[in-house]
């Protein structure tokens, strides 16, 4: 079974984009093994990814497959893995419906003034920093503040969240799954729920607790798991959108100048950043519930599938000059938020946060530049996120 490292070596390529170019051309459905030895099918063409995401025979209920080697206690595993992204059918509908009204485009738009103030405060802090860094001063804290505010989670705990979720995401699919970290995170969430039961507020977490306690619409495990999902999906992803987009704006001053002239074009540019450097490179793992055909090959019942959104979004069959960053690409059917019934619940929120962040960044720092333009970009470890660990800038105010 081929590992990702072997694939890079076979093709003599250095970046995931180069690798996916080869695979789409050569082996659009490839068997690969994760660093922890778990085998899966990798889907790389746009059309096949879309078909796979819409196929009910590819289930999200993968059980313990990916972390099978770890010693994660069953109750901890359940507390992180019974959320809407890990179930299908009626359970999925029930769990998604519980929170979906909070994330509609109309409800999210009401958060605009709050997010604008948060962003502006962060810009002030970045301007005052001795060593301003786009990730540290903007991309990380903004989504974290927003999701903590929405859920009603104490902001004081955000550094702990960051450490937990970074360690968790870096460990997925590796032999060193961070059992200790995940256990601590789940215990923290249980304490948080207990505390909110005592001191309810008008935020989302209290509303979920009331759905649990009053109408019995979700189990205690599902409640913890929903928090786990919303905190991780709600901020880690958007960190990468703001970070990747901010990096692209800083290193393409002509594009930045065009957007300063015409801020109305920022939403279309955001779609292009989502396509060009997709923050979530793959959909969550799927398992075949029966034998099926995809991309001219057979996937057997029980086999795992990884659908590459990063690859789909650079597919030349769908996007002209796919490796060119075109901020006015139209149409732009990017698939960075997935497709089908698990389509990202938080897409309106992620878009709003990113558009506000890009607009203020452009207005506030017309001469922003990278501290070391020649240095290699430091991408985050692991296969779950596509984003930078740091991006030091000079603001030249
Ligand atoms: C740029 C930012 C974001 C990206 C790129 C992104 C990407 C995705 C993708 C690709 C999926 C589908 C995964 C699959 O089918 O396996 C997804 C699902 C989901 N996302 Fe996001 N996401 C982002 C921001 C957010 C935010 C801000 C939230 C807020 C709470 C959020 C909450 C969710 C939830 C709850 C699901 C599961 C939906 C379901 O299973 O029905 N996401 N996201």
């Amino acid at each position: 079974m081929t590992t990702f490292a072997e694939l890079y070596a076979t093709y003599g390529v250095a970046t995931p984009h180069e690798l996916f170019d080869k695979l789409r051309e050569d082996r659009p459905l490839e068997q690969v093994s994760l660093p922890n030895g778990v085998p899966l099918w990798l889907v790389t063409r746009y059309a096949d990814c879309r078909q796979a995401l819409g196929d009910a025979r590819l289930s999200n209920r993968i059980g313990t497959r990916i972390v099978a080697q770890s010693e994660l206690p069953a109750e901890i595993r359940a507390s992180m893995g019974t959320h809407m992204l890990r179930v299908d059918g009626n359970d999925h509908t029930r769990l998604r419906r519980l929170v979906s009204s909070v994330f509609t485009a109309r409800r999210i738009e009401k958060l605009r003034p709050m997010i604008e103030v948060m962003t502006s405060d962060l810009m002030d802090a970045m301007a005052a920093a001795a060593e301003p860094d786009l990730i540290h001063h903007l991309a990380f804290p903004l989504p974290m503040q927003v999701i903590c505010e929405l859920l009603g989670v104490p902001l004081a705990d955000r550094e702990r969240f960051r450490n937990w979720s970074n360690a968790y995401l870096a460990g997925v699919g590796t032999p060193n799954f961070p059992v200790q970290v995940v256990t601590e995170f789940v215990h923290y969430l249980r304490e948080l729920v207990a505390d909110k039961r005592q001191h309810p507020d008008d935020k989302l977490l209290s509303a979920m607790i009331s759905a649990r306690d009053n109408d019995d619409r979700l189990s205690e495990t599902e409640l913890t798991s929903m928090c786990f999902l919303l905190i991780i999906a709600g901020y880690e992803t958007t960190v990468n959108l703001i970070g990747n987009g901010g990096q692209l704006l800083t290193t393409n001053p002509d594009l930045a100048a065009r957007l300063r002239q015409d801020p109305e074009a920022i939403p279309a540019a955001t779609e292009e950043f989502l396509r060009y450097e997709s923050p979530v490179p793959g959909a969550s793992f799927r398992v075949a519930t029966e034998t099926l055909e995809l991309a001219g090959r057979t996937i057997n019942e029980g086999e795992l599938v990884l659908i590459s959104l990063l690859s789909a979004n650079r597919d030349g069959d769908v996007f002209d000059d796919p490796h060119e960053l075109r901020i006015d690409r139209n149409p732009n059917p990017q698939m960075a938020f997935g497709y089908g019934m698990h389509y990202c619940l938080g897409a309106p929120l992620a878009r709003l946060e990113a558009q506000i962040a890009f607009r203020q960044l452009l207005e506030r720092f017309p001469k922003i530049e990278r501290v070391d333009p020649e240095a290699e970009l430091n991408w985050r470890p692991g296969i779950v996120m596509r984003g930078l660990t740091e991006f030091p800038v000079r603001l030249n105010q």
Side-chain angles (χ1 to χ4, degrees):
M1 181 73 51
T2 327
T3 63
F4 275 98
E6 284 162 356
L7 276 180
Y8 279 98
T10 306
Y11 285 111
V13 293
T15 71
H17 295 302
E18 288 168 334
L19 175 63
F20 290 140
D21 278 352
K22 301 282 186 198
L23 289 177
R24 279 193 310 274
E25 184 78 31
D26 239 26
R27 304 182 67 82
L29 191 68
E30 173 70 319
Q31 272 202 304
V32 204
S33 68
L34 292 176
N36 63 0
V38 173
L40 45 77
W41 289 100
L42 178 65
V43 192
T44 45
R45 285 189 187 153
Y46 186 99
D48 296 333
C49 289
R50 202 171 158 106
Q51 186 182 330
L53 286 168
D55 192 330
R57 296 170 300 174
L58 288 173
S59 164
N60 284 46
R61 289 185 196 267
I62 59 161
T64 59
R65 304 286 296 276
I66 298 292
V67 289
Q69 287 90 332
S70 79
E71 284 137 31
L72 204 57
E75 41 109 23
I76 299 290
R77 202 182 286 140
S79 291
M80 54 175 267
T82 49
H83 51 67
M84 72 182 94
L85 201 43
R86 278 280 146 257
V87 294
D88 308 309
N90 291 342
D91 280 338
H92 172 258
T93 312
R94 172 175 56 87
L95 292 173
R96 185 161 170 135
R97 198 178 284 153
L98 271 171
V99 291
S100 58
S101 66
V102 175
F103 292 97
T104 60
R106 254 187 51 220
R107 284 284 288 277
I108 290 300
E109 181 57 33
K110 295 202 171 115
L111 303 176
R112 182 182 286 276
M114 177 192 84
I115 298 176
E116 280 176 347
V117 172
M118 283 177 178
T119 310
S120 162
D121 289 348
L122 290 170
M123 295 286 164
D124 289 343
M126 184 154 77
E131 294 181 351
D133 184 294
L134 262 188
I135 309 302
H136 182 73
H137 290 103
L138 177 65
F140 161 68
L142 181 60
M144 178 57 99
Q145 286 180 19
V146 173
I147 199 71
C148 284
E149 174 60 29
L150 264 181
L151 282 166
V153 168
L155 205 47
D157 292 335
R158 62 187 172 171
E159 275 304 324
R160 292 164 79 195
F161 282 160
R162 182 186 198 176
N163 294 337
W164 283 325
S165 70
N166 272 346
Y168 163 67
L169 291 171
V172 172
T174 73
N176 310 314
F177 188 78
V179 175
Q180 181 65 23
V181 164
V182 171
T183 307
E184 272 175 34
F185 196 1
V186 167
H187 284 157
Y188 167 85
L189 290 174
R190 287 183 187 157
E191 276 168 33
L192 183 64
V193 167
D195 185 60
K196 285 279 160 182
R197 274 207 171 92
Q198 298 297 316
H199 311 101
D201 54 26
D202 59 354
K203 305 287 165 62
L204 184 56
L205 181 49
S206 291
M208 292 189 313
I209 292 173
S210 131
R212 153 87 184 125
D213 295 350
N214 300 331
D215 330 326
D216 207 16
R217 278 181 292 157
L218 80 169
S219 72
E220 192 71 19
T221 308
E222 287 170 338
L223 175 61
T224 320
S225 203
M226 180 91 91
C227 293
F228 185 85
L229 172 67
L230 289 178
I231 289 172
I232 295 213
Y235 103 93
E236 282 284 1
T237 51
T238 314
V239 171
N240 300 326
L241 171 57
I242 298 176
N244 295 346
Q247 175 251 317
L248 291 167
L249 285 173
T250 308
T251 49
N252 291 280
D254 294 351
L255 297 187
R258 267 171 65 193
L259 291 174
R260 270 188 206 98
Q261 288 278 314
D262 179 16
E264 298 304 309
I266 290 176
T270 305
E271 297 307 293
E272 180 66 348
F273 298 150
L274 280 159
R275 183 194 73 82
Y276 190 80
E277 225 40 289
S278 308
V280 177
S284 49
F285 302 103
R286 305 295 205 261
V287 60
T289 54
E290 54 186 88
T291 299
L292 57 99
E293 299 292 314
L294 188 71
R297 297 183 74 173
T298 303
I299 299 177
N300 292 312
E301 181 184 341
E303 290 180 337
L304 291 171
V305 176
L306 176 56
I307 301 162
S308 175
L309 306 171
L310 192 73
S311 173
N313 280 336
R314 297 270 188 127
D315 187 336
D317 284 348
V318 177
F319 303 98
D320 294 339
D321 300 322
H323 300 305
E324 213 173 280
L325 182 67
R326 290 192 193 161
I327 54 173
D328 53 359
R329 197 177 279 277
N330 184 18
N332 187 350
Q334 57 78 12
M335 237 189 322
F337 290 120
Y339 170 76
M341 77 173 183
H342 291 281
Y343 179 82
C344 178
L345 179 74
L349 178 59
R351 286 184 165 120
L352 181 65
E353 288 178 31
Q355 290 167 14
I356 292 173
F358 298 147
R359 186 166 188 152
Q360 291 201 19
L361 191 70
L362 289 164
E363 277 171 6
R364 185 84 187 256
F365 305 116
K367 295 184 189 147
I368 186 169
E369 60 185 19
R370 211 180 154 195
V371 166
D372 185 356
E374 303 305 322
E376 294 246 320
L377 292 171
N378 282 332
W379 294 98
R380 295 172 63 161
I383 56 166
V384 187
M385 292 290 158
R386 175 79 176 158
L388 301 168
T389 53
E390 55 180 12
F391 192 73
V393 285
R394 246 189 310 268
L395 300 172
N396 294 326
Q397 310 168 63

